[in-house]
Every structure is written in C-alpha cells, then in structure tokens.
Amino acid sequence: MILKVSLLVIFFAVMLAVGLYCRKNSTDVNGFVLGGRSVGPWLTAFAYGTSYFSAVIFVGYAGQFGWRFGIASTWIGIGNAVIGSLLAWVVLGRRTRLMSQHLESATMPEFFGKRYLSPALKIAASLIVFVFLIPYTASLYNGLSRLFSMAFPGIDYSVCVIVMAVLTGVYVIAGGYMATAINDFIQGIIMIVGIIAVIAAVLSGQGGFTEAIKGLALTPSESGIPGAFNSFLGPEPLNLFFVVILTSLGTWGLPQMVQKFYAIKSENDINKGTIISTIFAIVVAGGCYFLGGFGRLFSGKLDALGGVDKIGFDAIIPTMLENLPDLLIGIVIVLVLSASMSTLSSLVLTSSSTLTLDLIKGHIVKNMSDKKQVFIMRVFIVVFIVISAVIALNKDKLGYIADMMGISWGALAGAFLAPFLFGLYWKRTTKASVWASFIFGAGIMLLNMLARPIFPAILQSPINCGVIAMLGGLIIVPVVSWLSPKPDKELTEGMFSCYHREVIVETKESLGK
C-alpha cells in the first residue's frame, strides 16, 4: 500500500508542478485554449494520443471486445493507429491548422459558425458538445473505479474521484492548454511503459505468448467452435468492423481531438507529429486490445465471481491484473490515472472554451475582454468537473463503459465529422447540409439512448448506431449540398485562399527550377 500511494503522490505532485509552471502561458484566450498556436510535434502528438486513449479503452473496450472477439480485437488498435491517427493527421492536420487560423476560430463550433456564416450553427454545435461529452466523462471515472477498487480495497472509491477531479481542475485552470499538453506528454510516456510491462507480466503468468495462444485456441466460442478466439477475424467479423470504424473514424469529428491540430506550430511539425502519433497509437491502443484478447483465459476467476453476465465486461481487465506484483499494480493505477486525467483535462478544456467562446460571448454577454473570457472558462472548468464527478459518484446507475462512450462518440462524430471534413475540402458545402448532419447524427443517438427497443436488433448497440450516424452524415452532407442553393462564391474563395498563399523565400531555402 505504501508503494502504491507513493507512486500516486509523486504522479500528482508532477502534474500540479507543471500546471503552476505554465501559468504564464494562459493569460489570454489564445494562450489558454491553444497554447499560442506554438505547440511542437511531440507535445501535440502525445496530447492527441492521450486524449484518444483513456480508461475507457484500457478497461471498458479492451475488456468487452477482447472477450467478444479474442485476439482479433487487436484489429481495433491497428484501425485506431492507421485510420484514427495516421490518416486523421494526413487528411485533417494541415488544412485544419491553416483554415482555423485564417477564420480565427479557436473551437470546432466557432469553425462551423465562421465557415458557414451562421451564428446559429455555432450555438447548436456548442450545445451538442456540452451535452454529449458528459456521458464520455462519466465513462472515464467508471473505468477508473474498477481498477481502484482492485488496487485499494480499503479506500472508498469516492476519494479517488474527488482527488482526481480536484487535481485535474487545478492544473488545467492554472496552466490551460500548455499545461495539459506537457502533462499529456508525461502521462503518455507512463502509458507506453505501463502497457508494455503489463502485457509482458500477464503473458508470463499464462506460460508465455505461445501457451496463451494455445489456450485461446482451446476456448470454445458461444457457437461451440474451438479456435474462434485466436483466429484472424474472430467469431464476429461484422461487429468487429463496426467497432473499428467507430473508434477510428470517430476521432475525425471529435472536437477535443481535432482541436489539437489548431495549436500545432508549423507544417513541418505536422509531418513529425503524424509519425509520433501513429507509433504511440500502435503501442498503446494495439497493446490494450491485444491484452484484452486474452481475457477468456481468466474465465475460471470470472466464473468464481459470478460470471461475466453478472459482474459485467468492465470487470475483466481488473480480474486479469489482480495477481500482479504490487509494483506493477501501482504502475497500472498510475497508467489508468494518466489515461483518464489526460482525457478528462482535454474534455473539460473543450467544453469550457466552447461554452464561453461559442455560447456566452457575443450572445449572452456582448462585450467580453480577453481576461474575462479566460475567467469564465476557468469557472466552467470547475462546473464541468463537478457535474462529471457527481455522475461518477453514482456509478451504480451507469451502464457499460463501451455503451456510454458509444453514445458520446456516435453523437459528436455523427453530427460533426462530415460537415467538418467537407468544410475543409469542398467549397460547395452548404449551411443546410450542416444542419441536416447535426439533426441526423445527434438525433439518432438521442433516440438510441431514450428509445432503444424501436431500433432493429443490430442497431440497438450504441456502437453500431454510432457508425450509422457517422456514415450517414458522409452521405447526407454532399446530397443536401447539391440540392440546396450554392454558397456565395466570393466568400468561400476567400476562406479557401489560406491554402494557396504565395510565400517568398530566399534561394538558400528554395533553389527553384
């Protein structure tokens, strides 16, 4: 216990020290929200990765989908690396950085408002962000609770929730985006080291990689066919595909992810960040799902606790880890805290900046100084953390982690992905198509949450429904754009001019033809 607590004290002390150190970078809106748009490739790439992968992935998704798909769940991590990281940086990175600066937008709702010349779109987007980030935040705490109860059986879980919420709030309020980015870098290193150590320890406990694979081969699936859980695509290839798409393509429409591109320093840094982010995703996401794929080897322990049907999928990973040495369990707790706090800090910063810049500024309060905007954002960070912590303290009323994350990601990516992507690349995209995507994406996920039985069986899963919301938006936006009046050509040409600026350089930098 002393060892575990000591690791936590050191971890929290470093997080607070970074927050206080970065106070000088958070005196105005640009510094507080975007780090002055001068964040380098390593910090940006790790901020992207640690916001992407949290306790939701390590505990909820790795446990549930490792159980359902076996070793084939590793494809989810590969999809996250290739589609969610590599392609996201290649397709969105440069254009997002250039156009967001050109339009002077600091948030995704503000981008929609200026790109489509509609303050109403900005308000609608900010409300969608605020509402649907709440279940995602709740799922972070829920994942943490499972591991905390395993590692600290004598300490009430509410203590962990409160400490985590307070410390995250302190360093985000003090240092803004720059503190978040530096802490994300530190937390990312912890995640990489931790996941490698945990995989090695778990496989060693099963006799090594080869013996663990043999064990999976002998484990029958629900269909009674042995070998399904160590096969190439697992027992449910279609459902595996849906999970890969939601967790990989979904990042393209999540405001807390896309906003990382707003802050990166230069085009050269985008190229470097692409490589770093992809490698990070391969190790962390690939490692998490690879680990979860061996969950069936612990069926005996899970059955002794009542079976997965009774204790839930979210208990699988904690059960796999409970007999590790104390030092490794301490590392796991710090790993999951790192993953959770990095994502929580990103979510609260996104929500507070969205509410302040997109909903209050210019609508409720007409004239706001830079100093006042930063103050209000800090107040909203406190509000959002309190709301999420109160929800987390009622964790018995929460559903499976994967379901809550599916609702959040499905609604946000379903509403935003297509309008954002087409807005960066296609001048013909219209305001009407954005409204259609907002209504369809957020609406179908709201229905799925409130009236799930009316959906066909395959779409009752929030994950599958979220994929339909995203793919539907990619069809709706171009169709509605062609059917609605063209946007003003002169205005759109002005917006897209940022991609074609002429730059004069010295011959030592460019020799020419």
Side-chain angles (χ1 to χ4, degrees), residues 271-320:
N271 297 331
K272 293 178 183 176
T274 302
I275 298 170
I276 298 166
S277 178
T278 304
I279 294 173
F280 182 90
I282 290 172
V283 175
V284 175
C288 285
Y289 288 111
F290 177 75
L291 175 67
F294 294 98
R296 293 266 176 176
L297 299 181
F298 296 79
S299 298
K301 288 185 177 182
L302 293 164
D303 290 340
L305 296 172
V308 171
D309 291 338
K310 180 180 178 182
I311 61 177
F313 293 113
D314 301 338
I316 294 172
I317 296 295
T319 302
M320 293 174 67

Side-chain angles (χ1 to χ4, degrees), residues 165-197:
V166 169
L167 291 175
T168 304
V170 168
Y171 81 70
V172 177
I173 289 169
Y177 182 82
M178 188 58 76
T180 300
I182 294 174
N183 275 332
D184 285 350
F185 180 74
I186 298 169
Q187 291 159 351
I189 293 172
I190 294 170
M191 290 166 68
I192 290 173
V193 173
I195 193 65
I196 292 172

Side-chain angles (χ1 to χ4, degrees), residues 213-418:
I213 289 291
K214 286 180 181 177
L216 280 181
L218 299 173
T219 304
S221 66
E222 278 68 15
S223 63
I225 303 173
F229 293 115
N230 76 337
S231 63
F232 188 67
L233 294 176
E236 303 176 58
L238 180 60
N239 285 324
L240 175 61
F241 170 77
F242 276 114
V243 177
V244 170
I245 295 300
L246 178 75
T247 60
S248 302
L249 191 61
T251 59
W252 295 32
L254 298 180
Q256 73 272 20
M257 302 296 296
V258 172
Q259 200 162 333
K260 302 295 185 288
F261 299 132
Y262 289 35
I264 199 163
K265 188 176 181 180
S266 68
E267 189 163 339
N268 188 46
D269 287 343
I270 291 173
N271 297 331
K272 293 178 183 176
T274 302
I275 298 170
I276 298 166
S277 178
T278 304
I279 294 173
F280 182 90
I282 290 172
V283 175
V284 175
C288 285
Y289 288 111
F290 177 75
L291 175 67
F294 294 98
R296 293 266 176 176
L297 299 181
F298 296 79
S299 298
K301 288 185 177 182
L302 293 164
D303 290 340
L305 296 172
V308 171
D309 291 338
K310 180 180 178 182
I311 61 177
F313 293 113
D314 301 338
I316 294 172
I317 296 295
T319 302
M320 293 174 67
L321 304 179
E322 64 183 2
N323 290 329
L324 293 180
D326 284 343
L327 177 60
L328 266 180
I329 289 181
I331 291 173
V332 168
I333 293 299
V334 175
L335 182 161
V336 177
L337 266 173
S338 296
S340 300
M341 290 178 70
S342 60
T343 305
L344 179 62
S345 64
S346 179
L347 295 179
V348 298
L349 189 58
T350 299
S351 297
S352 64
S353 60
T354 291
L355 284 176
T356 304
L357 301 177
D358 305 325
L359 194 60
I360 295 178
K361 180 186 174 184
H363 300 286
I364 298 174
V365 180
K366 296 298 181 184
N367 297 309
M368 291 176 65
S369 64
D370 239 30
K371 189 175 181 180
K372 190 171 184 179
Q373 290 174 55
V374 172
F375 173 77
I376 292 176
M377 276 189 270
R378 285 176 164 141
V379 170
F380 274 125
I381 286 172
V382 174
V383 170
F384 193 81
I385 285 180
V386 169
I387 291 173
S388 63
V390 168
I391 294 173
L393 291 173
N394 292 282
K395 65 184 177 69
D396 294 336
K397 299 178 182 178
L398 302 176
Y400 285 141
I401 293 172
D403 289 347
M404 290 188 290
M405 184 175 167
I407 290 169
S408 177
W409 278 43
L412 292 167
F416 297 153
L417 190 156

Side-chain angles (χ1 to χ4, degrees), residues 27-94:
T27 55
D28 59 10
V29 171
N30 188 44
F32 190 79
V33 179
L34 299 175
R37 294 188 191 265
S38 60
V39 185
W42 283 92
L43 293 185
T44 302
F46 271 67
Y48 185 91
T50 53
S51 297
Y52 195 166
F53 309 117
S54 63
V56 175
I57 300 293
F58 186 75
V59 178
Y61 272 32
Q64 178 168 338
F65 300 125
W67 184 267
R68 287 177 57 186
F69 307 135
I71 203 68
S73 63
T74 308
W75 283 111
I76 306 171
I78 295 172
N80 292 172
V82 175
I83 302 172
S85 295
L86 176 63
L87 287 180
W89 278 73
V90 170
V91 175
L92 301 179
R94 177 179 180 272

